[in-house]
Amino acid sequence: SDMNIKLNHSKKWLKDQELAERFGLGRSTIWVRAKVDPEFPKPKKISNGLSRWDLDEILEFENNLKNSI
């Protein structure tokens, strides 16, 4: 079932730099967007001083953008 695929699928994490390149924004802009834009995916704290974005959430965000145009 779909549920099993989700559970077994190891998460892909993106760095702020990768996100910046993906959206054509600066790294600092990514952090500002994450803070002030309620739609923008939030970084997850993986360990002390280390935050990453969940690729699944990014894809969902991009999908929603496409659908709202």
Side-chain angles (χ1 to χ4, degrees):
S1 75
D2 285 353
M3 183 73 107
N4 290 339
I5 292 168
K6 278 202 172 64
L7 291 176
N8 297 335
H9 151 82
S10 62
K11 285 216 168 293
K12 174 106 172 75
W13 299 100
L14 299 183
K15 301 176 192 166
D16 54 4
Q17 185 59 52
E18 294 172 303
L19 224 55
E21 286 166 17
R22 188 178 183 107
F23 291 122
L25 300 168
R27 273 175 67 181
S28 55
T29 310
I30 294 294
W31 287 99
V32 172
R33 284 287 298 275
K35 206 173 192 170
V36 303
D37 181 351
E39 301 297 312
F40 200 84
K42 303 284 175 270
K44 306 279 189 290
K45 220 184 171 104
I46 292 187
S47 67
N48 219 2
L50 190 70
S51 293
R52 295 286 184 267
W53 277 261
D54 179 347
L55 179 61
D56 291 334
E57 290 185 11
I58 298 297
L59 292 171
E60 195 176 319
F61 171 71
E62 289 173 339
N63 253 343
N64 292 341
L65 280 185
K66 283 192 205 99
N67 294 338
S68 66
I69 291 168

Short mmCIF file of all heavy atoms in Angstrom, two decimals:
data_model
loop_
_atom_site.label_atom_id
_atom_site.label_comp_id
_atom_site.label_asym_id
_atom_site.label_seq_id
_atom_site.Cartn_x
_atom_site.Cartn_y
_atom_site.Cartn_z
N SER A 1 0.85 -1.21 0.00
CA SER A 1 0.00 0.00 0.00
C SER A 1 0.88 1.25 0.00
O SER A 1 2.07 1.19 0.28
CB SER A 1 -0.90 0.00 1.22
OG SER A 1 -0.15 0.34 2.36
N ASP A 2 0.26 2.36 -0.29
CA ASP A 2 0.98 3.63 -0.30
C ASP A 2 1.62 3.94 1.05
O ASP A 2 2.69 4.50 1.12
CB ASP A 2 0.03 4.78 -0.64
CG ASP A 2 -0.31 4.80 -2.13
OD1 ASP A 2 0.31 4.02 -2.87
OD2 ASP A 2 -1.17 5.58 -2.52
N MET A 3 0.91 3.54 2.10
CA MET A 3 1.41 3.81 3.45
C MET A 3 2.79 3.20 3.65
O MET A 3 3.70 3.84 4.15
CB MET A 3 0.43 3.24 4.46
CG MET A 3 0.81 3.54 5.89
SD MET A 3 0.52 5.27 6.27
CE MET A 3 -0.91 5.11 7.32
N ASN A 4 2.97 1.95 3.20
CA ASN A 4 4.25 1.28 3.37
C ASN A 4 5.36 1.99 2.62
O ASN A 4 6.48 2.10 3.11
CB ASN A 4 4.17 -0.17 2.90
CG ASN A 4 3.33 -1.01 3.84
OD1 ASN A 4 3.14 -0.64 5.00
ND2 ASN A 4 2.80 -2.11 3.34
N ILE A 5 5.05 2.45 1.43
CA ILE A 5 6.05 3.15 0.64
C ILE A 5 6.54 4.38 1.40
O ILE A 5 7.72 4.64 1.50
CB ILE A 5 5.48 3.58 -0.74
CG1 ILE A 5 5.21 2.33 -1.58
CG2 ILE A 5 6.43 4.51 -1.45
CD1 ILE A 5 4.39 2.57 -2.82
N LYS A 6 5.59 5.11 1.98
CA LYS A 6 5.96 6.32 2.71
C LYS A 6 6.86 5.99 3.89
O LYS A 6 7.82 6.69 4.16
CB LYS A 6 4.70 7.04 3.20
CG LYS A 6 4.09 7.91 2.13
CD LYS A 6 3.22 8.99 2.73
CE LYS A 6 2.76 9.97 1.67
NZ LYS A 6 1.87 9.36 0.65
N LEU A 7 6.54 4.93 4.61
CA LEU A 7 7.30 4.59 5.80
C LEU A 7 8.71 4.11 5.46
O LEU A 7 9.65 4.42 6.16
CB LEU A 7 6.57 3.51 6.61
CG LEU A 7 5.27 3.95 7.28
CD1 LEU A 7 4.59 2.77 7.95
CD2 LEU A 7 5.53 5.06 8.28
N ASN A 8 8.82 3.38 4.36
CA ASN A 8 10.12 2.81 4.00
C ASN A 8 11.00 3.79 3.24
O ASN A 8 12.19 3.59 3.12
CB ASN A 8 9.94 1.55 3.14
CG ASN A 8 9.22 0.46 3.90
OD1 ASN A 8 9.26 0.44 5.13
ND2 ASN A 8 8.56 -0.42 3.18
N HIS A 9 10.37 4.84 2.76
CA HIS A 9 11.08 5.79 1.92
C HIS A 9 11.92 6.69 2.82
O HIS A 9 11.40 7.38 3.67
CB HIS A 9 10.01 6.55 1.11
CG HIS A 9 10.36 7.93 0.73
ND1 HIS A 9 11.14 8.21 -0.35
CD2 HIS A 9 10.01 9.13 1.25
CE1 HIS A 9 11.26 9.52 -0.46
NE2 HIS A 9 10.59 10.11 0.50
N SER A 10 13.23 6.61 2.67
CA SER A 10 14.08 7.41 3.54
C SER A 10 14.01 8.87 3.10
O SER A 10 13.99 9.16 1.91
CB SER A 10 15.53 6.92 3.49
OG SER A 10 16.03 7.06 2.18
N LYS A 11 13.94 9.73 4.06
CA LYS A 11 13.76 11.15 3.77
C LYS A 11 14.98 11.74 3.08
O LYS A 11 16.10 11.38 3.35
CB LYS A 11 13.48 11.92 5.05
CG LYS A 11 12.08 11.69 5.55
CD LYS A 11 11.52 12.96 6.17
CE LYS A 11 10.05 12.85 6.42
NZ LYS A 11 9.26 12.77 5.18
N LYS A 12 14.68 12.66 2.17
CA LYS A 12 15.76 13.40 1.53
C LYS A 12 15.77 14.80 2.14
O LYS A 12 14.74 15.47 2.19
CB LYS A 12 15.51 13.48 0.02
CG LYS A 12 16.51 14.35 -0.72
CD LYS A 12 17.48 13.50 -1.52
CE LYS A 12 18.37 14.37 -2.42
NZ LYS A 12 19.43 15.09 -1.70
N TRP A 13 16.92 15.20 2.64
CA TRP A 13 17.05 16.49 3.30
C TRP A 13 17.84 17.46 2.42
O TRP A 13 18.85 17.08 1.85
CB TRP A 13 17.74 16.33 4.64
CG TRP A 13 17.00 15.45 5.59
CD1 TRP A 13 17.25 14.14 5.87
CD2 TRP A 13 15.86 15.80 6.37
NE1 TRP A 13 16.34 13.66 6.77
CE2 TRP A 13 15.48 14.66 7.10
CE3 TRP A 13 15.13 16.99 6.53
CZ2 TRP A 13 14.40 14.67 7.98
CZ3 TRP A 13 14.04 16.99 7.40
CH2 TRP A 13 13.69 15.84 8.11
N LEU A 14 17.38 18.69 2.34
CA LEU A 14 18.08 19.71 1.56
C LEU A 14 18.68 20.77 2.47
O LEU A 14 18.07 21.17 3.46
CB LEU A 14 17.11 20.39 0.57
CG LEU A 14 16.45 19.50 -0.48
CD1 LEU A 14 15.58 20.35 -1.40
CD2 LEU A 14 17.48 18.76 -1.30
N LYS A 15 19.88 21.23 2.11
CA LYS A 15 20.53 22.33 2.83
C LYS A 15 19.97 23.66 2.33
O LYS A 15 19.41 23.73 1.24
CB LYS A 15 22.04 22.33 2.54
CG LYS A 15 22.75 21.07 2.92
CD LYS A 15 24.20 21.17 2.49
CE LYS A 15 24.89 19.82 2.58
NZ LYS A 15 26.17 19.80 1.87
N ASP A 16 20.18 24.70 3.12
CA ASP A 16 19.71 26.03 2.72
C ASP A 16 20.31 26.43 1.36
O ASP A 16 19.62 27.01 0.53
CB ASP A 16 19.99 27.09 3.80
CG ASP A 16 21.45 27.15 4.23
OD1 ASP A 16 22.29 26.43 3.67
OD2 ASP A 16 21.74 27.93 5.15
N GLN A 17 21.57 26.05 1.14
CA GLN A 17 22.22 26.39 -0.13
C GLN A 17 21.53 25.71 -1.32
O GLN A 17 21.34 26.32 -2.37
CB GLN A 17 23.71 25.98 -0.08
CG GLN A 17 24.51 26.39 -1.30
CD GLN A 17 24.49 27.91 -1.54
OE1 GLN A 17 24.78 28.69 -0.65
NE2 GLN A 17 24.13 28.31 -2.75
N GLU A 18 21.16 24.45 -1.14
CA GLU A 18 20.48 23.71 -2.20
C GLU A 18 19.10 24.32 -2.49
O GLU A 18 18.67 24.39 -3.64
CB GLU A 18 20.32 22.23 -1.80
CG GLU A 18 21.65 21.51 -1.70
CD GLU A 18 21.52 20.11 -1.13
OE1 GLU A 18 21.00 19.98 0.01
OE2 GLU A 18 21.93 19.16 -1.80
N LEU A 19 18.45 24.75 -1.42
CA LEU A 19 17.14 25.38 -1.57
C LEU A 19 17.28 26.71 -2.29
O LEU A 19 16.48 27.05 -3.15
CB LEU A 19 16.54 25.58 -0.18
CG LEU A 19 15.08 25.24 -0.04
CD1 LEU A 19 14.82 23.82 -0.48
CD2 LEU A 19 14.63 25.46 1.38
N ALA A 20 18.31 27.46 -1.92
CA ALA A 20 18.57 28.76 -2.54
C ALA A 20 18.75 28.59 -4.05
O ALA A 20 18.16 29.32 -4.85
CB ALA A 20 19.81 29.40 -1.91
N GLU A 21 19.54 27.60 -4.45
CA GLU A 21 19.78 27.35 -5.87
C GLU A 21 18.50 26.90 -6.56
O GLU A 21 18.19 27.32 -7.67
CB GLU A 21 20.87 26.29 -6.04
CG GLU A 21 22.26 26.83 -5.74
CD GLU A 21 23.31 25.74 -5.57
OE1 GLU A 21 23.06 24.59 -5.99
OE2 GLU A 21 24.39 26.06 -5.02
N ARG A 22 17.73 26.07 -5.88
CA ARG A 22 16.50 25.54 -6.44
C ARG A 22 15.50 26.65 -6.76
O ARG A 22 14.81 26.61 -7.77
CB ARG A 22 15.90 24.57 -5.43
CG ARG A 22 14.72 23.78 -5.93
CD ARG A 22 14.24 22.82 -4.85
NE ARG A 22 13.14 22.02 -5.34
CZ ARG A 22 13.23 20.73 -5.67
NH1 ARG A 22 14.37 20.10 -5.54
NH2 ARG A 22 12.18 20.09 -6.13
N PHE A 23 15.42 27.65 -5.86
CA PHE A 23 14.45 28.73 -6.04
C PHE A 23 15.06 30.00 -6.62
O PHE A 23 14.38 31.00 -6.81
CB PHE A 23 13.77 29.07 -4.70
CG PHE A 23 12.86 27.97 -4.20
CD1 PHE A 23 13.06 27.40 -2.96
CD2 PHE A 23 11.79 27.53 -4.97
CE1 PHE A 23 12.22 26.39 -2.50
CE2 PHE A 23 10.95 26.52 -4.52
CZ PHE A 23 11.16 25.95 -3.28
N GLY A 24 16.37 29.97 -6.88
CA GLY A 24 17.04 31.16 -7.40
C GLY A 24 17.02 32.31 -6.42
O GLY A 24 16.85 33.47 -6.79
N LEU A 25 17.19 31.99 -5.14
CA LEU A 25 17.21 33.00 -4.09
C LEU A 25 18.53 32.93 -3.34
O LEU A 25 19.28 31.97 -3.47
CB LEU A 25 16.07 32.74 -3.09
CG LEU A 25 14.63 32.77 -3.61
CD1 LEU A 25 13.68 32.20 -2.57
CD2 LEU A 25 14.23 34.17 -4.01
N GLY A 26 18.80 33.96 -2.54
CA GLY A 26 19.97 33.92 -1.68
C GLY A 26 19.69 33.07 -0.45
O GLY A 26 18.54 32.88 -0.08
N ARG A 27 20.76 32.57 0.15
CA ARG A 27 20.59 31.73 1.35
C ARG A 27 19.84 32.46 2.45
O ARG A 27 18.96 31.90 3.10
CB ARG A 27 21.95 31.28 1.88
CG ARG A 27 22.45 30.03 1.23
CD ARG A 27 23.84 29.69 1.69
NE ARG A 27 23.87 29.32 3.11
CZ ARG A 27 24.99 29.01 3.76
NH1 ARG A 27 26.14 29.05 3.15
NH2 ARG A 27 24.94 28.67 5.03
N SER A 28 20.20 33.73 2.67
CA SER A 28 19.54 34.47 3.76
C SER A 28 18.05 34.66 3.47
O SER A 28 17.22 34.65 4.37
CB SER A 28 20.22 35.82 3.98
OG SER A 28 20.25 36.55 2.77
N THR A 29 17.72 34.80 2.17
CA THR A 29 16.32 34.96 1.77
C THR A 29 15.51 33.72 2.12
O THR A 29 14.35 33.82 2.54
CB THR A 29 16.21 35.25 0.26
OG1 THR A 29 17.09 36.31 -0.08
CG2 THR A 29 14.80 35.62 -0.13
N ILE A 30 16.12 32.55 1.95
CA ILE A 30 15.47 31.29 2.29
C ILE A 30 15.05 31.30 3.76
O ILE A 30 13.92 30.95 4.11
CB ILE A 30 16.41 30.08 2.02
CG1 ILE A 30 16.68 29.93 0.52
CG2 ILE A 30 15.85 28.80 2.62
CD1 ILE A 30 15.47 29.56 -0.31
N TRP A 31 15.96 31.74 4.63
CA TRP A 31 15.66 31.77 6.07
C TRP A 31 14.57 32.79 6.40
O TRP A 31 13.70 32.52 7.23
CB TRP A 31 16.94 32.06 6.87
CG TRP A 31 17.84 30.88 6.86
CD1 TRP A 31 18.93 30.68 6.06
CD2 TRP A 31 17.73 29.71 7.66
NE1 TRP A 31 19.49 29.44 6.32
CE2 TRP A 31 18.79 28.83 7.30
CE3 TRP A 31 16.84 29.31 8.66
CZ2 TRP A 31 18.96 27.59 7.90
CZ3 TRP A 31 17.03 28.07 9.25
CH2 TRP A 31 18.08 27.23 8.87
N VAL A 32 14.62 33.93 5.71
CA VAL A 32 13.58 34.94 5.93
C VAL A 32 12.22 34.40 5.50
O VAL A 32 11.23 34.52 6.23
CB VAL A 32 13.91 36.26 5.18
CG1 VAL A 32 12.74 37.22 5.25
CG2 VAL A 32 15.17 36.89 5.76
N ARG A 33 12.19 33.79 4.31
CA ARG A 33 10.92 33.22 3.81
C ARG A 33 10.37 32.18 4.78
O ARG A 33 9.18 32.15 5.07
CB ARG A 33 11.13 32.56 2.44
CG ARG A 33 11.27 33.51 1.27
CD ARG A 33 9.95 34.17 0.87
NE ARG A 33 8.93 33.25 0.41
CZ ARG A 33 8.81 32.79 -0.82
NH1 ARG A 33 9.66 33.15 -1.77
NH2 ARG A 33 7.83 31.97 -1.14
N ALA A 34 11.25 31.32 5.27
CA ALA A 34 10.83 30.26 6.20
C ALA A 34 10.22 30.87 7.46
O ALA A 34 9.30 30.30 8.06
CB ALA A 34 12.01 29.37 6.55
N LYS A 35 10.74 32.03 7.84
CA LYS A 35 10.28 32.69 9.06
C LYS A 35 8.95 33.44 8.84
O LYS A 35 8.06 33.35 9.67
CB LYS A 35 11.35 33.68 9.50
CG LYS A 35 11.38 33.99 10.97
CD LYS A 35 12.59 34.84 11.27
CE LYS A 35 12.83 34.95 12.78
NZ LYS A 35 14.12 35.57 13.06
N VAL A 36 8.86 34.17 7.73
CA VAL A 36 7.72 35.09 7.58
C VAL A 36 6.60 34.59 6.67
O VAL A 36 5.48 35.07 6.76
CB VAL A 36 8.18 36.49 7.07
CG1 VAL A 36 9.21 37.08 8.01
CG2 VAL A 36 8.72 36.41 5.66
N ASP A 37 6.91 33.63 5.79
CA ASP A 37 5.90 33.13 4.86
C ASP A 37 5.28 31.85 5.41
O ASP A 37 5.95 30.82 5.47
CB ASP A 37 6.56 32.87 3.49
CG ASP A 37 5.57 32.37 2.45
OD1 ASP A 37 4.41 32.06 2.80
OD2 ASP A 37 5.96 32.28 1.27
N PRO A 38 4.01 31.91 5.83
CA PRO A 38 3.39 30.73 6.45
C PRO A 38 3.32 29.52 5.51
O PRO A 38 3.28 28.38 5.96
CB PRO A 38 1.99 31.20 6.84
CG PRO A 38 1.76 32.49 6.14
CD PRO A 38 3.09 33.05 5.75
N GLU A 39 3.29 29.76 4.19
CA GLU A 39 3.22 28.67 3.21
C GLU A 39 4.57 27.98 3.02
O GLU A 39 4.63 26.83 2.60
CB GLU A 39 2.76 29.21 1.84
CG GLU A 39 1.41 29.89 1.85
CD GLU A 39 0.30 28.94 2.24
OE1 GLU A 39 0.25 27.83 1.69
OE2 GLU A 39 -0.52 29.31 3.11
N PHE A 40 5.64 28.71 3.28
CA PHE A 40 6.98 28.21 2.96
C PHE A 40 7.38 27.13 3.98
O PHE A 40 7.19 27.31 5.17
CB PHE A 40 7.99 29.37 2.99
CG PHE A 40 9.26 29.08 2.26
CD1 PHE A 40 9.34 29.26 0.90
CD2 PHE A 40 10.39 28.63 2.94
CE1 PHE A 40 10.51 29.00 0.21
CE2 PHE A 40 11.56 28.36 2.25
CZ PHE A 40 11.62 28.55 0.89
N PRO A 41 7.92 26.01 3.49
CA PRO A 41 8.29 24.92 4.41
C PRO A 41 9.30 25.38 5.46
O PRO A 41 10.17 26.19 5.18
CB PRO A 41 8.93 23.88 3.48
CG PRO A 41 8.37 24.18 2.13
CD PRO A 41 8.16 25.66 2.09
N LYS A 42 9.14 24.87 6.65
CA LYS A 42 10.02 25.21 7.77
C LYS A 42 11.18 24.22 7.83
O LYS A 42 10.99 23.03 7.60
CB LYS A 42 9.26 25.14 9.09
CG LYS A 42 8.04 26.03 9.15
CD LYS A 42 8.42 27.49 9.34
CE LYS A 42 7.24 28.43 9.29
NZ LYS A 42 6.95 28.91 7.90
N PRO A 43 12.37 24.72 8.15
CA PRO A 43 13.50 23.79 8.33
C PRO A 43 13.29 22.95 9.59
O PRO A 43 12.67 23.41 10.54
CB PRO A 43 14.69 24.72 8.50
CG PRO A 43 14.12 26.00 9.00
CD PRO A 43 12.74 26.11 8.41
N LYS A 44 13.79 21.73 9.55
CA LYS A 44 13.73 20.85 10.72
C LYS A 44 15.12 20.81 11.34
O LYS A 44 16.11 20.66 10.64
CB LYS A 44 13.33 19.43 10.31
CG LYS A 44 12.04 19.35 9.51
CD LYS A 44 10.82 19.40 10.41
CE LYS A 44 9.55 19.10 9.67
NZ LYS A 44 9.14 20.16 8.74
N LYS A 45 15.15 20.90 12.66
CA LYS A 45 16.44 20.83 13.36
C LYS A 45 16.86 19.36 13.45
O LYS A 45 16.20 18.57 14.10
CB LYS A 45 16.29 21.43 14.75
CG LYS A 45 17.48 22.25 15.16
CD LYS A 45 17.32 22.75 16.57
CE LYS A 45 18.62 23.38 17.04
NZ LYS A 45 18.60 24.83 17.05
N ILE A 46 17.93 19.02 12.75
CA ILE A 46 18.37 17.62 12.73
C ILE A 46 19.28 17.35 13.92
O ILE A 46 19.21 16.31 14.55
CB ILE A 46 19.09 17.31 11.39
CG1 ILE A 46 18.06 17.35 10.27
CG2 ILE A 46 19.78 15.97 11.45
CD1 ILE A 46 18.57 16.91 8.95
N SER A 47 20.16 18.30 14.20
CA SER A 47 20.98 18.22 15.41
C SER A 47 21.37 19.64 15.78
O SER A 47 20.94 20.59 15.13
CB SER A 47 22.23 17.37 15.16
OG SER A 47 23.08 18.03 14.24
N ASN A 48 22.18 19.79 16.77
CA ASN A 48 22.54 21.12 17.24
C ASN A 48 23.19 21.95 16.12
O ASN A 48 24.19 21.55 15.56
CB ASN A 48 23.48 21.01 18.44
CG ASN A 48 23.16 22.07 19.48
OD1 ASN A 48 22.22 22.85 19.31
ND2 ASN A 48 23.93 22.11 20.53
N GLY A 49 22.57 23.07 15.80
CA GLY A 49 23.13 23.95 14.79
C GLY A 49 23.00 23.44 13.37
O GLY A 49 23.62 23.98 12.46
N LEU A 50 22.20 22.37 13.19
CA LEU A 50 22.06 21.79 11.86
C LEU A 50 20.59 21.69 11.49
O LEU A 50 19.84 20.95 12.13
CB LEU A 50 22.70 20.40 11.82
CG LEU A 50 22.85 19.77 10.43
CD1 LEU A 50 23.91 20.50 9.62
CD2 LEU A 50 23.22 18.30 10.56
N SER A 51 20.20 22.47 10.48
CA SER A 51 18.81 22.43 10.02
C SER A 51 18.76 22.05 8.56
O SER A 51 19.61 22.46 7.78
CB SER A 51 18.15 23.79 10.23
OG SER A 51 18.02 24.09 11.59
N ARG A 52 17.75 21.24 8.23
CA ARG A 52 17.56 20.81 6.85
C ARG A 52 16.08 20.90 6.50
O ARG A 52 15.22 20.82 7.37
CB ARG A 52 18.03 19.36 6.66
CG ARG A 52 19.53 19.15 6.85
CD ARG A 52 20.31 19.68 5.68
NE ARG A 52 21.73 19.43 5.76
CZ ARG A 52 22.62 20.27 6.29
NH1 ARG A 52 22.21 21.41 6.82
NH2 ARG A 52 23.90 19.97 6.28
N TRP A 53 15.83 21.00 5.20
CA TRP A 53 14.44 20.99 4.72
C TRP A 53 14.10 19.61 4.19
O TRP A 53 14.93 18.96 3.54
CB TRP A 53 14.27 22.03 3.62
CG TRP A 53 14.03 23.42 4.14
CD1 TRP A 53 12.82 24.04 4.25
CD2 TRP A 53 15.00 24.36 4.60
NE1 TRP A 53 12.99 25.32 4.75
CE2 TRP A 53 14.31 25.54 4.97
CE3 TRP A 53 16.39 24.33 4.75
CZ2 TRP A 53 14.95 26.67 5.46
CZ3 TRP A 53 17.04 25.45 5.24
CH2 TRP A 53 16.33 26.60 5.60
N ASP A 54 12.88 19.21 4.44
CA ASP A 54 12.36 17.92 3.98
C ASP A 54 11.94 18.08 2.51
O ASP A 54 11.07 18.89 2.21
CB ASP A 54 11.16 17.56 4.87
CG ASP A 54 10.51 16.25 4.50
OD1 ASP A 54 10.80 15.73 3.41
OD2 ASP A 54 9.70 15.76 5.30
N LEU A 55 12.56 17.31 1.64
CA LEU A 55 12.27 17.42 0.21
C LEU A 55 10.78 17.22 -0.09
O LEU A 55 10.22 17.90 -0.94
CB LEU A 55 13.11 16.41 -0.59
CG LEU A 55 12.87 16.41 -2.11
CD1 LEU A 55 13.21 17.77 -2.73
CD2 LEU A 55 13.65 15.32 -2.80
N ASP A 56 10.14 16.30 0.63
CA ASP A 56 8.70 16.06 0.42
C ASP A 56 7.89 17.34 0.63
O ASP A 56 6.98 17.64 -0.12
CB ASP A 56 8.18 14.97 1.38
CG ASP A 56 8.75 13.59 1.03
OD1 ASP A 56 9.10 13.38 -0.15
OD2 ASP A 56 8.85 12.75 1.93
N GLU A 57 8.26 18.10 1.67
CA GLU A 57 7.54 19.34 1.95
C GLU A 57 7.81 20.39 0.88
O GLU A 57 6.93 21.17 0.53
CB GLU A 57 7.94 19.87 3.34
CG GLU A 57 7.40 19.01 4.46
CD GLU A 57 7.69 19.60 5.83
OE1 GLU A 57 8.13 20.76 5.93
OE2 GLU A 57 7.47 18.87 6.83
N ILE A 58 9.04 20.39 0.36
CA ILE A 58 9.40 21.32 -0.71
C ILE A 58 8.58 21.00 -1.97
O ILE A 58 8.03 21.90 -2.61
CB ILE A 58 10.91 21.25 -1.04
CG1 ILE A 58 11.74 21.67 0.18
CG2 ILE A 58 11.25 22.09 -2.25
CD1 ILE A 58 11.54 23.09 0.62
N LEU A 59 8.49 19.72 -2.31
CA LEU A 59 7.74 19.30 -3.50
C LEU A 59 6.27 19.67 -3.35
O LEU A 59 5.64 20.13 -4.30
CB LEU A 59 7.90 17.79 -3.72
CG LEU A 59 9.31 17.33 -4.11
CD1 LEU A 59 9.41 15.82 -4.09
CD2 LEU A 59 9.71 17.89 -5.47
N GLU A 60 5.74 19.47 -2.16
CA GLU A 60 4.34 19.81 -1.90
C GLU A 60 4.13 21.32 -2.06
O GLU A 60 3.16 21.77 -2.65
CB GLU A 60 3.98 19.36 -0.49
CG GLU A 60 2.49 19.32 -0.21
CD GLU A 60 2.19 18.78 1.18
OE1 GLU A 60 2.85 17.81 1.59
OE2 GLU A 60 1.31 19.35 1.83
N PHE A 61 5.07 22.09 -1.53
CA PHE A 61 5.02 23.55 -1.64
C PHE A 61 5.03 23.98 -3.11
O PHE A 61 4.24 24.82 -3.53
CB PHE A 61 6.21 24.15 -0.88
CG PHE A 61 6.40 25.63 -1.09
CD1 PHE A 61 5.51 26.55 -0.54
CD2 PHE A 61 7.47 26.11 -1.81
CE1 PHE A 61 5.69 27.92 -0.73
CE2 PHE A 61 7.67 27.47 -2.00
CZ PHE A 61 6.77 28.38 -1.46
N GLU A 62 5.93 23.37 -3.89
CA GLU A 62 6.03 23.70 -5.32
C GLU A 62 4.74 23.33 -6.06
O GLU A 62 4.29 24.08 -6.94
CB GLU A 62 7.23 22.98 -5.94
CG GLU A 62 8.55 23.55 -5.47
CD GLU A 62 9.76 22.75 -5.94
OE1 GLU A 62 9.59 21.56 -6.30
OE2 GLU A 62 10.87 23.30 -5.94
N ASN A 63 4.18 22.20 -5.70
CA ASN A 63 2.90 21.77 -6.29
C ASN A 63 1.80 22.78 -6.02
O ASN A 63 1.03 23.13 -6.90
CB ASN A 63 2.48 20.42 -5.70
CG ASN A 63 2.68 19.32 -6.72
OD1 ASN A 63 2.80 19.57 -7.91
ND2 ASN A 63 2.71 18.10 -6.23
N ASN A 64 1.72 23.22 -4.76
CA ASN A 64 0.69 24.19 -4.38
C ASN A 64 0.88 25.50 -5.14
O ASN A 64 -0.09 26.14 -5.51
CB ASN A 64 0.74 24.44 -2.87
CG ASN A 64 0.29 23.21 -2.09
OD1 ASN A 64 -0.36 22.32 -2.64
ND2 ASN A 64 0.65 23.16 -0.82
N LEU A 65 2.14 25.89 -5.35
CA LEU A 65 2.41 27.11 -6.11
C LEU A 65 1.87 26.97 -7.51
O LEU A 65 1.21 27.88 -8.03
CB LEU A 65 3.93 27.35 -6.19
CG LEU A 65 4.63 27.97 -4.99
CD1 LEU A 65 6.09 28.22 -5.32
CD2 LEU A 65 3.97 29.27 -4.56
N LYS A 66 2.16 25.84 -8.15
CA LYS A 66 1.70 25.61 -9.52
C LYS A 66 0.18 25.67 -9.60
O LYS A 66 -0.39 26.26 -10.50
CB LYS A 66 2.18 24.24 -10.02
CG LYS A 66 3.63 24.23 -10.43
CD LYS A 66 3.96 22.94 -11.17
CE LYS A 66 5.43 22.61 -11.06
NZ LYS A 66 5.71 21.60 -10.01
N ASN A 67 -0.47 25.05 -8.61
CA ASN A 67 -1.93 24.97 -8.62
C ASN A 67 -2.59 26.32 -8.36
O ASN A 67 -3.73 26.52 -8.70
CB ASN A 67 -2.41 23.95 -7.58
CG ASN A 67 -1.97 22.55 -7.95
OD1 ASN A 67 -1.68 22.26 -9.12
ND2 ASN A 67 -1.90 21.67 -6.97
N SER A 68 -1.86 27.23 -7.73
CA SER A 68 -2.48 28.50 -7.37
C SER A 68 -2.27 29.56 -8.45
O SER A 68 -2.78 30.65 -8.34
CB SER A 68 -1.92 28.99 -6.03
OG SER A 68 -0.56 29.29 -6.17
N ILE A 69 -1.49 29.25 -9.46
CA ILE A 69 -1.24 30.21 -10.53
C ILE A 69 -2.43 30.28 -11.48
O ILE A 69 -2.92 29.24 -11.90
CB ILE A 69 0.05 29.88 -11.32
CG1 ILE A 69 1.25 30.11 -10.42
CG2 ILE A 69 0.16 30.71 -12.58
CD1 ILE A 69 2.55 29.56 -10.96
#
